[in-house]
Amino acid sequence: MTQSTDRPWPVWEVFTQGKDGEPHQHTGSVHATDAEHALQNARDAYARRNEGVSLWVVPSAAITASTPEDMGPFFDPANDKVYRHPLFYKVPKGVKVF
Amino acid sequence: MTPPPVVAEDSMRLAEFEARIARDESIEPKDWMPERYRKQLVRMMSQHAHSEVVGMLPEGNWITRAPSLRRKMILIAKVQDEGGHGLYIYCGTETLGVDRHDLVQDLLDGKAKYSSIFNYPTLSWADIGTIGWLVDGAAIVNQTMLAKASYGPYARAMVRICKEENFHKRQGYEIMATLSGGTGAQRAMAQDALNRWWWPSLMMFGPHDADSPNSDELMRWGIKRKSNDELRQRYVNLTIAQAKAIDLTVPDPDLRYDEASGDWITGPIDWDEFWRVVKGNGPCNKERLAARQKAHADGAWVREAAMAYADKKASRTTEAA
Amino acid sequence: MADLALFGALARIGDDRLVLGHRTSEWCGHGPILEEDIALSNIALDLIGQANHVLTYAGATEGAGRDQDALAYFRDAADYRNALLCELPNGDFGVTIVRHFLYGVFSVLQWDALSKSTDETLAGIAAKSVKEARYHVRHAGEWVIRLGDGTAESHRRAQDAVDALWAYTGELFVQPADESALVAAGITADVSLLHATWQSQVASVLHRATLTVPASGWMQGGGRTGLHTEHLGHLLAEMQIVARSHPGAKW
């Protein structure tokens, strides 16, 4: 009787910011029925040990991810663009802070 | 959903997959994986998650009777952690395309297994110490290995869990050390609990390697990295020294130290008891399942209400727009 | 130096949180969904943690050598000073949540007032506790709205809970006569002054939840002077059994 209306709650992805100034990182997921609910569930499940100063929750369904098949075309071209990385450039000896 | 990518032949993909496992690469949710690998993972991860959730019950049994406020808070935090760990692992399992709701239903219908250790009763406060020390101790040995499992989401959940479970074992051992050094009645309570939990804790690692049907496949695919017997031996070696340090005796007249290997060798494990409990005739199988079924049934109207309210709120927003 | 008036006031503050925290901990492992099990455990931990601080301080002010565990485990029901609302059985999830909401709104107001106490220890405990209580209200308040405005069944259960618990809310705002010197010295807060704010905050959430505020009627009381319901004796019998079976033991 209750079976038919007892639908699974949607999944939300949880991102935690460990310290002020750090980026938010994916920590896990929770089930919740709306955004405030997801925020509270994320707080209770993933910030029990003072793990963060800020939380994001995003409906899992809203995330589009690249596929393993994309790996070649997406990421290989960056392999030979060494000029994008700061260590490509020579800095005169003695310059410590750049 | 993205349309299915053009697939190469499966045998090629299998070879590629096994080469990745051999290179210790992490397998991620969207990666190609053999159907058998996926099935084994769902089975193993959901059993693990169910164990965490059912595992809340025997310890939860003593929350209301914990003998000091400090112990009460520690125990609530620990039982809560088990719930959290269940949640992390269910989430990991859901990345394999299954729904937690269905996994839970399998548990409630008696179709899914969970660790048999939780089918034993907690009869005194010392059982809470013993569970932390032995059961969490055994779980840590197992989970430290699983933190290197080939499936990324499982391994990552394990890393987090291992970090959090460190305190579980310590608080249990601290209870046992306190009881062992306490009054005569407390000491007797501690020894009695160790007597009852020792053999079931050895059974937590599962049957001997020769009798473990899933082990080969799980090890070939890097889901498990060590065999049941290897893990059990590691646990025994760690635990015997800890028992001695707090002056408690492991209930095994055949226990001996093997100089050559440096291992503690236990007497024979009663596998009849193990299979009896697995098959549903442990002291508390029925109570544990009944408690989960009741919580789920009593909570149905709550879960429905939250969905109904979210639906209403969403439709109001649409109307207003 | 012994300060029995302050001891009595602290017992009222601490016992509320201890008894309600104990009740909340009964949910651990039995919640309607895993996420909520974890949330309720957090609330239980906050409440027992608050009680632990307050009773530790109460023991010190009494000066009779009783610590927080002596107070929690070796006092009989008649020596407990919690409000009756806190000791009632959990009932269903609706009763549990509505009680957390009704008590939580009071608790925020009380901690907030106590955070300005001239007693530095009490002010310190209150400043930490008020943050926890604010989250409890946010959590319980959202649930009251979800249940009240959810399904027909959840609406009925939530309204039943409000109606059943309402008669136990008045006691929270009866200022005990033996605390007047403490209030005058700015040490404790006059709870009767918090009632109007409580009523408007509670009414606003119940209204959003499509629930009806009960008509004012007879209010139960007695907890603040040790006259309890039948439920507290059972709660304490369970809570104290191990500690009392081994007097003098360390745990």
Side-chain angles (χ1 to χ4, degrees), chain A residues 23-85:
Chain A
H24 284 70
Q25 286 191 330
H26 185 244
T27 358
S29 42
V30 289
H31 288 252
T33 50
D34 59 44
E36 164 68 17
H37 193 198
L39 209 50
Q40 289 192 12
N41 289 350
R43 180 261 191 200
D44 282 315
Y46 292 100
R48 303 200 297 286
R49 289 177 162 78
N50 272 326
E51 287 102 329
V53 294
S54 161
L55 284 172
W56 291 347
V57 289
V58 181
S60 299
I63 293 182
T64 308
S66 65
T67 66
E69 284 70 23
D70 295 330
M71 201 195 276
F74 270 38
F75 308 113
D76 284 357
N79 272 351
D80 59 359
K81 294 186 178 63
V82 64
Y83 46 81
R84 287 193 191 277
H85 298 274

Side-chain angles (χ1 to χ4, degrees), chain B residues 100-315:
Chain B
R100 185 175 90 188
H101 198 77
D102 299 328
L103 298 174
V104 169
Q105 198 58 52
D106 285 346
L107 172 72
L108 300 177
D109 293 343
K111 286 192 239 160
K113 290 203 170 66
Y114 57 86
S115 178
S116 275
I117 194 81
F118 302 119
N119 290 319
Y120 289 86
T122 49
L123 301 178
S124 80
W125 171 250
D127 289 36
I128 299 310
T130 313
I131 290 182
W133 174 33
L134 300 186
V135 176
D136 287 84
I140 290 169
V141 168
N142 196 33
Q143 288 170 171
T144 307
M145 166 198 67
L146 290 172
K148 299 184 191 96
S150 56
Y151 188 55
Y154 197 21
R156 288 193 288 273
M158 283 304 123
V159 169
R160 194 181 173 92
I161 290 172
C162 284
K163 227 193 279 174
E164 296 188 358
E165 280 203 347
N166 242 328
F167 109 75
H168 294 186
K169 182 179 170 180
R170 277 163 188 268
Q171 64 85 33
Y173 191 60
E174 186 190 81
I175 290 176
M176 295 307 274
T178 308
L179 293 177
S180 181
T183 66
Q186 285 179 303
R187 228 190 111 61
M189 195 192 280
Q191 183 62 52
D192 169 65
L194 174 57
N195 292 349
R196 283 182 289 109
W197 289 92
W198 171 250
W199 291 106
S201 79
L202 295 184
M203 296 174 198
M204 282 176 71
F205 296 93
H208 285 309
D209 297 347
D211 306 317
S212 179
N214 290 310
S215 276
D216 277 355
E217 203 168 45
L218 293 176
M219 286 182 69
R220 183 157 60 93
W221 282 334
I223 300 173
K224 284 181 71 165
R225 303 265 177 188
K226 289 202 169 82
S227 78
N228 293 355
D229 286 328
E230 282 177 280
L231 292 169
R232 183 164 24 238
Q233 189 61 59
R234 178 169 165 67
Y235 164 74
V236 169
N237 291 349
L238 287 171
T239 311
I240 297 297
Q242 290 159 359
K244 284 180 188 296
I246 55 172
D247 205 17
L248 293 175
T249 313
V250 167
D252 180 356
D254 299 326
L255 184 74
R256 65 182 173 84
Y257 184 70
D258 181 61
E259 292 284 351
S261 61
D263 286 334
W264 284 95
I265 311 295
T266 66
I269 294 171
D270 181 356
W271 293 111
D272 288 344
E273 175 181 326
F274 173 77
W275 290 114
R276 189 172 70 239
V277 181
V278 168
K279 288 184 178 133
N281 294 312
C284 297
N285 296 56
K286 291 183 179 64
E287 286 89 337
R288 300 294 183 239
L289 202 54
R292 288 312 315 155
Q293 286 163 342
K294 183 175 189 306
H296 192 77
D298 289 353
W301 71 272
V302 178
R303 297 189 298 274
E304 287 164 19
M307 280 303 277
Y309 174 70
D311 288 349
K312 279 190 207 176
K313 210 164 79 167
S315 70

Side-chain angles (χ1 to χ4, degrees), chain B residues 64 66 71 80 100 292 303, chain C residues 29 32 35 42 73 238 251:
Chain B
T64 53
R71 288 291 171 206
Q80 181 197 42
R100 185 175 90 188
R292 288 312 315 155
R303 297 189 298 274
Chain C
E35 280 80 356
N42 273 340
Y73 290 92
E238 187 173 342
W251 300 100

